[in-house]
Amino acid sequence: MILAFAWAVIRPSIIAPAAILFMGLFLDVFWGGSLGLWALALLVAYGVVLASRNMMAGQSRPMMWAWFAGVTAVAMVAGFLFTMLDSLAMPSLLAVFWQFLVTALLFPFAHRLVDRLEDADVRFR
């Protein structure tokens, strides 16, 4: 989630969606889930951030945290729906909530990455 958020906010490019796709496929293989589940969920989150990045520009840290939590919720809902469609059973809502909460609490790392990318890019100086 951190990379999908930071890449879309600061440096949208052709490479980022491909990297997110491969990262999601790696996560699916690593966790033994359905192939393409997290790749698609992360790409949905990347697309939401990419579409709304103009509204995120110049926002304060708490507001960016709210955006990150919202995009994380979108990715979790997408993963929940894709899992439900794949397995024809409903995943645990409590487990999805805890995964959302832990991921949303990782925002300081995403904010640090966004700051580092802004500092490294000469267009922002």
Side-chain angles (χ1 to χ4, degrees):
M1 251 337 282
I2 293 171
L3 291 176
F5 185 80
W7 279 340
V9 167
I10 293 299
R11 216 176 270 194
S13 68
I14 280 288
I15 296 172
I20 290 171
L21 174 72
F22 290 122
M23 182 176 55
L25 292 174
F26 171 77
L27 290 174
D28 292 335
V29 170
F30 183 72
W31 287 330
S34 300
L35 198 59
L37 169 77
W38 284 112
L40 189 55
L42 287 173
L43 284 172
V44 166
Y46 178 81
V48 168
V49 174
L50 192 61
S52 59
R53 73 187 285 258
N54 290 334
M55 291 184 283
M56 290 182 203
Q59 296 292 332
S60 65
R61 185 180 177 118
M63 194 62 205
M64 289 297 284
W65 201 326
W67 275 102
F68 183 76
V71 170
T72 301
V74 166
M76 294 297 161
V77 167
F80 178 82
L81 292 175
F82 299 147
T83 301
M84 204 165 60
L85 288 172
D86 182 48
S87 65
L88 299 176
M90 191 168 104
S92 168
L93 289 174
L94 187 61
V96 172
F97 171 75
W98 282 112
Q99 185 175 5
F100 161 76
L101 186 63
V102 169
T103 306
L105 290 175
L106 291 175
F107 173 74
F109 297 108
H111 189 68
R112 184 171 180 218
L113 184 62
V114 167
D115 282 345
R116 289 186 69 164
L117 288 174
E118 280 180 347
D119 290 341
D121 198 346
V122 295
R123 293 177 294 171
F124 297 107
R125 292 185 187 176

